[in-house]
């Protein structure tokens, strides 16, 4: 049977299944990947919240310790001081959003293969061929 997942990168490989057994294999593999992704999404969400908390804490601290008289000046100074932490927050968000889009794509692909499987089962059943 053709491999569904690239051994090194873990990417799902595109190929045309040639039997109902291969379609079933694809469905199981994609379902397992989606299930495993939940744990990864939870970790990415935690990393995002941690980065946001660290940024907020540093930003507020920088505003409090600023010697500027005007609030807008203190805020601007704090914003500049916390740019590296803001980048970390944005990177954490980007990783999370990418993982969410990947999970959605795998779900759509799974749904498509389930539809193919139903069609194959109907065709094999109509032709008098049983599993």
């Amino acid at each position: 049977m053709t491999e569904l997942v690239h051994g090194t990168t873990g990417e799902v490989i595109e190929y045309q299944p040639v039997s109902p057994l291969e379609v079933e294999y694809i469905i199981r593999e994609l379902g397992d990947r989606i299930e495993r992704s939940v744990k990864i999404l939870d970790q990415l969400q935690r990393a995002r919240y941690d980065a946001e908390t660290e940024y907020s804490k540093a930003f507020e601290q920088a505003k409090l310790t600023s010697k500027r008289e005007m609030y807008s000046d203190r805020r601007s100074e704090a914003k500049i001081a916390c740019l590296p932490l803001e980048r970390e927050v944005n990177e954490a968000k980007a990783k999370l959003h990418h993982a969410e889009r990947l999970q959605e794509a795998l779900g759509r692909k799974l749904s498509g293969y389930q539809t193919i499987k139903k069609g194959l089962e109907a065709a094999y059943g109509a032709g008098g061929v049983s599993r």
Side-chain angles (χ1 to χ4, degrees):
M1 184 179 307
T2 305
E3 289 298 315
L4 176 64
V5 178
H6 189 278
T8 307
T9 65
E11 293 180 61
V12 177
I13 299 171
E14 293 292 330
Y15 77 94
Q16 300 295 320
V18 295
S19 71
L21 183 61
E22 282 192 356
V23 173
E24 182 68 31
Y25 169 70
I26 291 169
I27 290 170
R28 277 188 269 114
E29 183 66 30
L30 290 175
D32 290 346
R33 287 180 70 86
I34 291 170
E35 184 178 4
R36 288 190 306 267
S37 72
V38 172
K39 184 176 180 180
I40 294 166
L41 286 170
D42 287 345
Q43 292 168 349
L44 292 171
Q45 188 74 274
R46 172 55 39 213
R48 174 190 172 188
Y49 288 144
D50 289 346
E52 286 176 344
T53 299
E54 187 65 30
Y55 171 77
S56 295
K57 180 181 171 183
F59 183 72
E60 295 301 321
Q61 188 65 37
K63 283 193 306 187
L64 285 173
T65 58
S66 175
K67 303 295 185 210
R68 306 280 183 164
E69 289 186 29
M70 300 282 295
Y71 176 77
S72 60
D73 292 340
R74 289 194 305 267
R75 192 175 191 292
S76 296
E77 185 178 75
K79 180 88 170 160
I80 292 169
C82 294
L83 281 176
L85 291 174
E86 186 176 31
R87 281 190 205 102
E88 289 179 21
V89 169
N90 291 336
E91 287 175 18
K93 286 180 182 179
K95 287 178 185 177
L96 175 62
H97 294 315
H98 176 74
E100 289 170 339
R101 286 190 304 273
L102 179 59
Q103 184 186 44
E104 289 171 8
L106 288 174
R108 287 190 298 273
K109 185 175 264 194
L110 173 62
S111 178
Y113 277 112
Q114 288 170 327
T115 301
I116 290 169
K117 181 179 181 242
K118 287 177 186 175
L120 286 173
E121 288 173 346
Y124 274 81
V129 178
S130 63
R131 291 204 256 172

